[in-house]
Amino acid sequence: MKYMLDNIPADQNIMLAGRHGIGKSEILTEYFSKTGMSVIPLFLGQMSDPGDLIGLPNKDEETGKTEFMPPYWFPVDGKPIVLFLDELNRARPEVLQTIMDLALNRKLAGKHLPEGSRIIAAVNEGEEYQLTDLDPALVSRFNIFRFEPSVEEWILWAQKKDVDSRVISFIRDNGTWLDKDPSLEEGEDTGLDKTPDRRAWKRVSDVIKGKENLEKNDVLLISSIIGVKATNIFIKKIRQNKTIEAIDLLNDFDTKVPLLSDLSLHQFTILNEDIFIFLESHLDSLSNKKIVASNLEKYIEYLKSYSKNEVLASFAHYLNDKKYEEAAHFVASEAFKVYREVVKYTSGIKA
């Protein structure tokens, strides 16, 4: 998606199609804020008539003609904006007619958007949504992209947003629960049956953060967010999979080393990936890089000392995974001993 935003000219409109709660507006706002452009979200499904979009009519006293006053969001300073048309296929037909002129001519009620402005729309797809059919002529004015972030991409995002590690661990091992109840047939959801989505998992994290032990009422609270079935599986899994957190290992290896002897190969593999996810998502804000590098060296020495070759192989795999290029660069530059030992180990396997 970032490549698309970098390379598509501003005068070409973009439509993102995907499920609800997958972060379309958040990612756009974050991306364009770095370029200094403001993202103006308009929720078209909430607009009752075109006046909500184009503004109110007003009589010009000098000419005696009617003109439209610019709506609150319209840029009057000449600076380009990103106009984010959310819920496009929930809009009323009369609102969609107004969007036609906006998408084709970049103007609204005779007023042009500033040069360099972008128009990006978002639509939901699926039988479970109450949607308005879009006119083919309107659709033809957009480049359409299916926006489907992978589970791995969500996990990286979740680490950056400090989502509770129990939620992240659950989704890593049960990725089919990230966006829905996988046992439901398409269209079976009534709308009131709570099922998971990416936005809901973030809300789960918000309510359990800092609570080491989840009580009965916590479980009821979680089920109100993601539904009973997903909650039961989530609670069962997190009680089974208590393990070491990567952040704790990297910040204070000496106090966590006694716990390593109880880990299974699967848990070591999870820990290895957690290390790379943590490094990839926190490098910009990491203030104790020397401590992290030192503890990473201790971890690799531990694996060598106890002949944890399969765990070393797992670590080497993530070191060469393109998803974690920034983390690999950190290992090569800040923890060179780790890099050297892993390369030596993998060279020995090939030999």
Side-chain angles (χ1 to χ4, degrees), residues 12-297:
Q12 294 187 19
N13 306 320
I14 296 171
M15 183 184 295
L16 303 178
R19 294 182 59 84
H20 62 281
I22 58 176
K24 297 186 287 291
S25 59
E26 181 177 344
I27 290 175
L28 288 173
T29 301
E30 185 177 294
Y31 174 87
F32 284 108
S33 66
K34 295 177 181 178
T35 69
M37 292 180 69
S38 297
V39 178
I40 310 296
L42 298 179
F43 299 97
L44 301 185
Q46 300 175 11
M47 294 184 174
S48 58
D49 62 61
D52 293 338
L53 182 63
I54 65 177
L56 298 175
N58 182 52
K59 180 181 178 181
D60 188 318
E61 296 298 336
E62 293 185 4
T63 64
K65 296 181 179 180
T66 298
E67 63 177 9
F68 284 88
M69 298 175 63
Y72 73 94
W73 58 266
F74 197 89
V76 293
D77 57 4
K79 294 181 179 179
I81 63 168
V82 178
L83 190 58
F84 181 50
L85 306 176
D86 205 0
E87 303 177 339
L88 181 67
N89 57 344
R90 291 179 185 270
R92 293 173 178 267
E94 54 269 29
V95 173
L96 289 176
Q97 291 302 316
T98 304
I99 297 297
M100 293 276 278
D101 188 32
L102 184 64
L104 180 62
N105 300 313
R106 297 302 178 99
K107 66 180 183 179
L108 199 61
K111 296 180 177 64
H112 286 270
L113 290 176
E115 188 72 24
S117 293
R118 283 186 173 274
I119 296 177
I120 301 179
V123 298
N124 295 131
E125 280 190 312
E127 295 179 3
E128 67 266 41
Y129 303 109
Q130 296 179 355
L131 305 174
T132 304
D133 290 335
L134 296 179
D135 190 308
L138 176 60
V139 173
S140 71
R141 297 174 187 182
F142 288 85
N143 299 347
I144 300 178
F145 295 88
R146 262 70 188 179
F147 183 55
E148 300 173 348
S150 67
V151 174
E152 292 79 10
E153 288 167 332
W154 182 87
I155 289 173
L156 281 172
W157 171 88
Q159 279 279 4
K160 291 178 181 178
K161 297 298 181 181
D162 200 28
V163 170
D164 190 276
S165 60
R166 290 166 291 186
V167 173
I168 295 174
S169 295
F170 176 78
I171 295 300
R172 183 195 295 105
D173 292 338
N174 305 273
T176 55
W177 283 91
L178 179 57
D179 291 309
K180 60 181 179 178
D181 178 345
S183 65
L184 282 180
E185 294 292 333
E186 190 71 26
E188 188 178 340
D189 185 5
T190 66
L192 291 177
D193 299 325
K194 293 297 294 184
T195 56
D197 59 50
R198 300 176 188 221
R199 186 184 295 129
W201 283 114
K202 176 61 169 64
R203 296 208 301 268
V204 169
S205 169
D206 292 341
V207 301
I208 70 173
K209 198 122 185 106
K211 296 182 179 180
E212 184 173 347
N213 297 309
L214 301 180
E215 307 297 336
K216 181 178 179 181
N217 285 338
D218 295 316
V219 175
L220 292 174
L221 182 55
I222 295 169
S223 66
S224 74
I225 302 172
I226 57 174
V228 174
K229 190 185 297 185
T231 299
N232 289 339
I233 296 174
F234 173 62
I235 295 298
K236 180 180 178 181
K237 293 291 185 182
I238 64 174
R239 286 173 177 168
Q240 288 175 346
N241 294 336
K242 286 191 174 182
T243 185
I244 303 172
E245 302 292 340
I247 185 172
D248 296 331
L249 188 80
L250 295 175
N251 284 327
D252 191 3
F253 177 84
D254 294 335
T255 61
K256 299 302 177 184
V257 67
L259 303 175
L260 292 174
S261 60
D262 295 327
L263 297 187
S264 66
L265 176 59
H266 176 65
Q267 289 171 320
F268 265 116
T269 301
I270 290 174
L271 177 58
N272 282 343
E273 185 169 18
D274 277 350
I275 288 171
F276 281 89
I277 290 174
F278 174 80
L279 292 175
E280 186 74 17
S281 56
H282 288 83
L283 278 180
D284 292 341
S285 59
L286 211 58
S287 59
N288 57 340
K289 290 183 179 180
K290 289 185 178 180
I291 294 175
V292 169
S294 174
N295 285 323
L296 200 53
E297 291 171 8

